[in-house]
Amino acid sequence: MSDGLLPPEIEELAKRVIEANSAIGRKVTVAESCTGGLVAAALTEVPGSSAVLDRGFVTYSNESKRECLDVSLEIIETFGAVSIACAWAMAKGALERSDADIAVAISGVAGPAGGTDLKPVGTVVFARVVRGEEGEPEGELKRFEPISRAEIRREATICALELLLP
């Protein structure tokens, strides 16, 4: 059993993220919705994380996504908060409001309620934006098996951490 706050596999991955980004002098930021700060919590479990993690945004409500990250109402009304468009806007907003070099955003339906036919429980979207890179937004939609709310959030945290690896 680990002495840490989070499961050992998340702690180990967070350690790899901190070490790899530290080695290249890269700072990171995260914009979280359904994970509720778990990605930032995992990163801050690692000694020396202050050299890598610039800041984290927990924007659970649509209003907070708009206020804190400048996600447009049009994106939320057209595509929904659980969409690649919204996650990309969250990541872009986090990068613009930080001194980080890379931002990752997460939004999803952790359940047990709140799912729809198009976006069932277990649907989670991710986006990554790297400062200075042009081109198409980088995003991904995943559907995790809705075993439990905790399991969906754990899997989403792992995916977000993997996106922060160089």
Side-chain angles (χ1 to χ4, degrees):
M1 174 134 192
S2 167
D3 290 335
L5 179 65
L6 299 165
E9 66 272 17
I10 290 177
E11 288 182 5
E12 182 56 38
L13 182 54
K15 182 178 178 188
R16 284 182 38 223
V17 168
I18 294 298
E19 289 173 350
N21 283 286
S22 180
I24 62 172
R26 186 165 82 166
K27 288 193 169 279
V28 306
T29 186
V30 292
E32 301 182 65
S33 187
C34 68
T35 49
L38 286 173
V39 178
L43 294 171
T44 58
E45 276 289 290
V46 180
S49 59
S50 60
V52 173
L53 178 63
D54 180 66
R55 66 194 75 190
F57 299 88
V58 177
T59 55
Y60 206 69
S61 70
N62 289 344
E63 185 174 322
S64 67
K65 289 172 181 64
R66 292 178 55 221
E67 289 176 4
C68 298
L69 302 173
D70 202 28
V71 175
S72 75
L73 180 60
E74 182 180 1
I75 286 175
I76 293 170
E77 288 180 345
T78 303
F79 303 104
V82 181
S83 66
I84 290 174
C86 184
W88 184 79
M90 289 170 63
K92 186 173 177 248
L95 196 63
E96 290 171 354
R97 287 157 182 74
S98 72
D99 293 323
D101 304 297
I102 182 173
V104 167
I106 312 101
S107 187
V109 185
T116 66
D117 287 342
L118 289 176
K119 297 174 187 174
V121 171
T123 302
V124 182
V125 291
F126 303 87
R128 176 171 60 187
V129 176
V130 178
R131 192 175 301 282
E133 284 190 5
E134 299 296 322
E136 292 296 311
E138 188 175 346
E140 183 175 7
L141 182 145
K142 290 191 175 240
R143 290 220 166 100
F144 299 111
E145 194 63 37
I147 296 167
S148 71
R149 179 178 179 84
E151 184 64 18
I152 291 166
R153 294 175 74 220
R154 184 185 77 76
E155 291 296 328
T157 298
I158 290 169
C159 286
L161 287 168
E162 288 171 348
L163 287 171
L164 289 169
L165 288 168

